[in-house]
Amino acid sequence: MRSWFEWVGAMESSVGLRESLNAYPIMLTSHVIGMCMFAGLIMMMDVRLAGLGNRSSAITQVQARLFPWQMVGFAISIVTGLLLLWSDPMRFYSNFYFWLKNLLLVAAGVNMWIFHATTYQTVDQWDNDPSPPFGAKLAGVLSIAFWSAVIVVGRMIAYQDLVPQWWRDLGLRG
Amino acid sequence: MSLQPFFLWMQEHAFSAYILNETWFSPIVQVMHLIALAVFAGAILVVDLRLLGVGLTRVPLSKVAEDAMPWMVWGLVALLITGWPSVMSTAMKQYYSPFFWWKMELLVLGLIFAFTVRRRMARMDEATLGPVWPKAAGMFSIAVWTGVAVGARLIGLLS
């Protein structure tokens, strides 16, 4: 794993991005814009699922009509996120919050997948209900929790000294 | 009138010293600011997309706006509460940052627009509005709020 990160970090494209004065502000600012679009619209969908908001719209409508815009936000976030990783892999390799963020991304994805494979199959029966069944509410609340945690931990990447002692004891050097 | 004495007062306030002294205070406030941002941005965007004629088009514009309003207002309240300590504890950095003033000017513009033109437009009959004005309003809103976010991020990066 470490050698893979070192390999990327030594590449000309990585060094170029790392040493550019403008690349980092542009990548990070675009990452935030992508996050606003993606997480914002995901949360608007989640509050509908949880029965907390946007209750005038049918659930399938919220799901289908916001989806393309969520994907635009997701694409911006993923591309700029991968570029940030590419620009300085060793910084992220040794960062506790970077790995925790990846774990939470997987958790958010699994939650989405389980919901679509189970509760969402019967959506026709409760599409217009202001208060959807328990399974949908649970998926909505979990999604809000997981994506919020992704945002929290993503911001914490900047605070690489505020990490648990056991992580420091691992002695990963960036 | 210069605002410098006010910013100096904030910087030298005991609360600023407390914030800077507590290791976890700033990070916690900043992550909460970002979560509030996601909620606020979502509530803004869901209406702006509807104004652009995409997104939740099966429901009247007034309904989409009404549903989004509490999330926008409470997102904004949370943003102001969690943004305030960051401004206080780094007041002089903010005062001398062009991006801080860029952000604040666009923020005021965005709020005035959201609570006047955009709000009234969202309550009007869509047939009388025609196809052009809602789209212009949606694009203007997205542009201003994107500007706020860009300015905000650059305070920390380039000041």
Side-chain angles (χ1 to χ4, degrees):
Chain A
M1 184 74 96
R2 185 184 175 95
S3 60
W4 188 87
F5 277 74
E6 282 173 342
W7 174 66
V8 172
M11 287 171 79
E12 213 173 310
S13 53
S14 174
V15 177
L17 279 175
R18 188 158 64 243
E19 294 185 347
S20 160
L21 281 178
N22 294 323
Y24 186 66
I26 291 173
M27 290 186 294
L28 202 55
T29 305
S30 308
H31 197 61
V32 173
I33 299 295
M35 181 277 273
C36 284
M37 201 169 172
F38 176 71
L41 291 177
I42 286 284
M43 285 198 189
M44 285 298 107
M45 189 177 71
D46 289 340
V47 295
R48 177 65 185 91
L49 279 180
L52 298 169
N54 297 324
R55 306 207 285 188
S56 309
S57 299
I59 287 169
T60 49
Q61 163 89 354
V62 175
Q63 143 73 36
R65 300 287 293 176
L66 294 187
F67 182 74
W69 305 98
Q70 291 164 349
M71 284 305 103
V72 172
F74 188 68
I76 297 171
S77 304
I78 283 286
V79 169
T80 53
L82 286 174
L83 281 172
L84 282 162
L85 173 60
W86 197 266
S87 72
D88 201 355
M90 291 319 287
R91 176 188 165 207
F92 295 101
Y93 175 77
S94 56
N95 193 300
F96 170 70
Y97 294 108
F98 167 74
W99 294 107
L100 189 53
K101 180 176 178 178
N102 283 307
L103 203 66
L104 288 163
L105 280 169
V106 172
V110 168
N111 174 55
M112 231 160 16
W113 177 74
I114 291 175
F115 170 64
H116 275 270
T118 59
T119 319
Y120 197 65
Q121 298 296 319
T122 60
V123 68
D124 290 344
Q125 296 160 31
W126 39 272
D127 200 8
N128 289 299
D129 291 2
S131 183
F134 176 75
K137 283 183 180 165
L138 181 66
V141 170
L142 282 177
S143 179
I144 293 172
F146 282 134
W147 288 113
S148 297
V150 168
I151 294 172
V152 166
V153 172
R155 185 64 185 84
M156 289 304 293
I157 289 175
Y159 296 93
Q160 52 188 337
D161 295 329
L162 299 181
V163 297
Q165 187 57 44
W166 64 263
W167 178 263
R168 254 176 272 194
D169 292 342
L170 287 180
L172 297 176
R173 270 160 306 136
Chain B
M1 189 193 77
S2 168
L3 285 169
Q4 197 188 18
F6 175 61
F7 277 76
L8 205 55
W9 172 81
M10 285 200 289
Q11 185 70 76
E12 287 169 353
H13 196 279
F15 185 48
S16 297
Y18 171 79
I19 294 167
L20 294 172
N21 215 11
E22 290 289 323
T23 315
W24 281 93
F25 196 101
S26 290
I28 288 172
V29 163
Q30 297 213 9
V31 300
M32 293 197 303
H33 196 63
L34 270 192
I35 292 173
L37 170 64
V39 173
F40 181 76
I44 287 281
L45 206 49
V46 88
V47 177
D48 285 346
L49 288 175
R50 182 63 181 76
L51 285 166
L52 292 174
V54 294
L56 307 175
T57 44
R58 221 180 287 168
V59 186
L61 171 59
S62 59
K63 275 282 172 198
V64 176
E66 195 183 305
D67 279 358
M69 186 54 99
W71 302 96
M72 187 186 115
V73 171
W74 289 109
L76 177 67
V77 169
L79 279 170
L80 294 175
I81 292 173
T82 55
W84 186 250
S86 295
V87 175
M88 268 201 89
S89 61
T90 60
M92 289 326 283
K93 174 185 171 181
Q94 307 287 336
Y95 181 78
Y96 287 111
S97 167
F99 301 108
F100 172 73
W101 297 106
W102 159 358
K103 175 186 181 181
M104 288 303 141
E105 281 158 18
L106 285 177
L107 174 63
V108 170
L109 179 65
L111 287 179
I112 291 173
F113 186 73
F115 286 105
T116 58
V117 179
R118 189 168 168 276
R119 192 177 187 189
R120 228 164 279 176
M121 199 177 256
R123 284 177 180 164
M124 279 168 69
D125 179 30
E126 283 171 75
T128 51
L129 276 171
V132 178
W133 290 113
K135 286 196 175 69
M139 272 189 268
F140 181 76
S141 174
I142 289 175
V144 171
W145 291 114
T146 304
V148 173
V150 170
R153 186 55 275 197
L154 293 182
I155 299 169
L157 289 173
L158 299 179
S159 304

